[in-house]
Amino acid sequence: MYDFVYKNKKLMQLILALIVLPFAFFGIDSYFTGGRGGDSVAIVGDYKITQNEFTEALRERQESLQRMAGGRTDPALLDSSELRFAVLDNLVQQRLLIERAVRAGLVVSDRQVQDIVSSIEAFKDEGKFSLARYEALLKSQGMTPVVFEDRVRQDMLTDHALHAFNVSTFVSRSEAANLLRISEQQRELSFFTLPVDRFLAQVKLEPDAVKKYYDSRQDEFRIPEQVRVEFVVLAAEALLAQMQPAAADVRKAYDENMKRYEVKEARQASHILIAAEGDAEAKKKARARAEEILAQVKKNPKDFAALAKQHSQDPGSAANGGDLGFFERGAMTKVFDDKVFSMKPGEIAGPVETEFGFHIIRLAGVRGGKAKSFEEARAEIETEMKRQMAARKFAELSEAFSNTLFEQSDSLKAAAELIKSAPQKSGWISRGSADNALVSNPKLMQAVFSDDVINNKRNTEAIEVAPGVLVGARVIEHKPSAVQPFDQVSAGLAKKLTLQQATQLAAQEGRAKLAALKEGKDAQVTWSAPQMVGRGDPKNIPVEALRQAFKADTEKLPSFSGVESAGGGYTLIRISKVQEAGEGAKDKQNAIGQTLRQVSGQAEAAAYLASLRKKADVKVRKDQVERKQ
């Protein structure tokens, strides 16, 4: 979807995190005080990214992932090295851009920051900015206006530093036209497959072939070191069931925060976008085109979705009949937003001009716009209070849990009794594979396979496998690494070698038939019924066959090609017709050009950041990045 859907997206995500996520900004002041002390995880020029700054950024990313996945994110993913280094890379890029913006003389005035802050709906009361609400919301999250506005200022500086790449990238019409032709072209294809099963009977393995293969590649048959473990889990989430806030406290929380329980009005709209790029004459033509479509829509409102699919140049919504889903006020560009929130359900309006072109808008529905009663909000308040109580209880138990695992290292019994949780047992696990997401955490795996835990039969330390989740484990069974006996693998290995040779025979015969076809000879091939397919409409054709079909030279038809099938065998392909993009598809050229400009701008921005990083001589302390708190 076009950028207007996410205008000021970065700043809005910041506010959403501020309002929705409790505890998201604990210690946030450290975010702006890198280089003032503490262990650094990276150095960017003269600036140090501190451990605290990195930890808070990581926590924000983890909570964001949890929120997007509805709390079902794999704990191993949330604490992986890949995520940690991705978060650090983002901090490094932000610092590089800020320093570059400052050197270039870019300035964000206090008035610009105030304009952004005062325009945020979360800080408004009855449609107007409320200083009291602003300060109260920040205070509830442990922030001050100075800290928050400093962060807004930094985000605006980084946006300014990258702005040129978003507006100056040039893409020629021929590039867009070529991509349109490639994406919309269709080819009429027929297939003939030589299945691998047909050649199995022809394979005669040498008597000692299987044994020779086994002896020469024993690492293929090596079973890695394995263990079975017993483990106990201390999780803040599991403590929720033990928490019960007092009824009076729940009522008090509602009375003191009634504004939080307002259900904001959201509207569902659909649109048809006619892009307008270039001079005044181009805009005039785009408006005329939009007015023509508007007339069609008003004549037959029920055809709105079909007309959106046919004419809209918004690639993100056109395929869905122009549907933008539900959104709150402020999510869209202002002109578009104002129009949508002035309409009645079922009303059609337009053309509405924005920086992206002319829009024909239909309002499909309205929801929200009223406050929840105490009874409606009770469950939500109780859940939030239980989480806060559970977080405090978790903090109290964490240190005792860690100490008990260490002090009574010959058993998990005492640690399990402390947290009132029965120990669990895993199946057989290896260093790179476990049957339980908690146990598969890399840090826990490293501890479980350590000499102290295996040979001395001691508990691991308490390891944080995810935010708010500690695990302690001990090994109950151990199997050293060993090569599987030949008798156990010989039958399966014989099948594997037979299949390999049958696949080679199928490919050999397939290539021979392909050569005959290209020479105009009879290859004794029975083709499947021809069908028109496109890159975006593959008709269930296997990926490797479709890719080969669109790589084939079609200067002379019919054209023939072939490819080895993924599951063995060989597939011959006949291209009998090529159909180029129709006139109607050319309406998509402007949208394709816009996408190409965005991609090109992103590539140039990435190259620019890489050059800044090289000049700044960035130093990363890997041990600090991977250090768990």
Side-chain angles (χ1 to χ4, degrees), residues 490-597:
S490 59
L493 182 54
K495 289 182 180 179
K496 174 183 174 179
L497 297 180
T498 300
L499 183 62
Q500 285 180 349
Q501 292 192 25
T503 298
Q504 293 172 4
L505 291 174
Q508 181 180 333
E509 183 169 330
R511 285 190 285 268
K513 287 183 178 293
L514 178 60
L517 289 168
K518 289 183 175 181
E519 293 173 3
K521 298 178 181 178
D522 181 12
Q524 297 183 338
V525 169
T526 303
W527 296 106
S528 65
Q531 55 182 331
M532 294 295 295
V533 301
R535 288 179 173 85
D537 182 24
K539 303 274 180 33
N540 296 319
I541 293 171
V543 173
E544 68 274 6
L546 186 71
R547 184 181 295 119
Q548 187 64 32
F550 278 88
K551 284 171 58 179
D553 183 3
T554 57
E555 185 175 346
K556 181 181 178 181
L557 296 176
S559 174
F560 301 97
S561 189
V563 64
E564 293 186 27
S565 304
Y570 194 88
T571 298
L572 293 167
I573 307 164
R574 179 179 67 182
I575 304 101
S576 50
K577 185 187 298 183
V578 175
Q579 182 175 301
E580 300 295 346
E583 289 298 320
K586 292 185 178 178
D587 290 341
K588 300 179 181 179
Q589 187 165 320
N590 286 337
I592 289 175
Q594 174 74 6
T595 301
L596 285 175
R597 279 188 287 275

Side-chain angles (χ1 to χ4, degrees), residues 142-198:
M143 294 182 68
T144 67
V146 172
V147 171
F148 177 74
E149 289 165 19
D150 194 6
R151 187 167 190 175
V152 171
R153 191 186 306 275
Q154 292 197 35
D155 284 339
M156 293 178 72
L157 272 176
T158 58
D159 288 343
H160 284 329
L162 290 176
H163 179 69
F165 298 103
N166 296 327
V167 299
S168 63
T169 305
F170 174 77
V171 174
S172 69
R173 290 185 178 275
S174 62
E175 288 180 281
N178 283 336
L179 184 57
L180 174 68
R181 181 184 61 79
I182 291 170
S183 64
E184 296 294 322
Q185 186 189 81
Q186 292 191 314
R187 297 187 174 190
E188 186 178 64
L189 307 179
S190 303
F191 300 93
F192 175 76
T193 299
L194 292 163
V196 69
D197 294 353
R198 182 189 299 180

Side-chain angles (χ1 to χ4, degrees), residues 313-533:
Q313 293 171 339
D314 175 2
S317 68
N320 298 323
D323 185 17
L324 298 172
F326 277 96
F327 54 88
E328 295 178 1
R329 185 183 288 275
M332 303 296 186
T333 194
K334 188 175 187 304
V335 177
F336 189 95
D337 207 53
D338 288 346
K339 174 54 69 175
V340 169
F341 279 84
S342 69
M343 296 168 65
K344 297 178 180 179
E347 183 180 351
I348 294 172
V352 175
E353 183 179 2
T354 71
E355 60 265 44
F356 302 100
F358 296 92
H359 309 260
I360 300 161
I361 306 170
R362 180 183 65 180
L363 182 62
V366 178
R367 69 184 183 192
K370 64 176 183 178
K372 292 181 181 179
S373 67
F374 172 68
E375 290 304 321
E376 290 173 327
R378 181 200 292 270
E380 179 184 346
I381 299 170
E382 286 183 343
T383 298
E384 183 175 340
M385 294 181 72
K386 285 180 180 179
R387 289 189 180 281
Q388 293 173 2
M389 294 168 69
R392 290 193 292 270
K393 184 67 174 178
F394 177 80
E396 293 172 6
L397 285 174
S398 295
E399 185 174 358
F401 180 65
S402 298
N403 291 339
T404 303
L405 286 170
F406 176 77
E407 293 167 358
Q408 302 188 44
S409 61
D410 59 344
S411 170
L412 294 177
K413 182 179 179 182
E417 290 175 348
L418 173 70
I419 63 174
K420 298 180 175 62
S421 175
Q424 304 175 51
K425 291 183 180 179
S426 75
W428 285 104
I429 62 176
S430 59
R431 290 179 186 269
S433 175
D435 59 359
N436 184 291
L438 294 175
V439 178
S440 66
N441 175 268
K443 184 76 179 288
L444 184 60
M445 281 278 198
Q446 183 179 355
V448 163
F449 282 93
S450 69
D451 289 342
D452 193 42
V453 173
I454 290 177
N455 298 329
N456 297 330
K457 302 185 183 304
R458 292 181 179 174
N459 298 336
T460 68
E461 60 181 332
I463 293 172
E464 184 181 24
V465 299
V469 182
L470 293 175
V471 175
R474 65 181 293 104
V475 171
I476 53 178
E477 287 188 78
H478 174 242
K479 288 181 182 178
S481 174
V483 176
Q484 296 178 72
F486 176 71
D487 291 344
Q488 289 183 9
V489 301
S490 59
L493 182 54
K495 289 182 180 179
K496 174 183 174 179
L497 297 180
T498 300
L499 183 62
Q500 285 180 349
Q501 292 192 25
T503 298
Q504 293 172 4
L505 291 174
Q508 181 180 333
E509 183 169 330
R511 285 190 285 268
K513 287 183 178 293
L514 178 60
L517 289 168
K518 289 183 175 181
E519 293 173 3
K521 298 178 181 178
D522 181 12
Q524 297 183 338
V525 169
T526 303
W527 296 106
S528 65
Q531 55 182 331
M532 294 295 295
V533 301

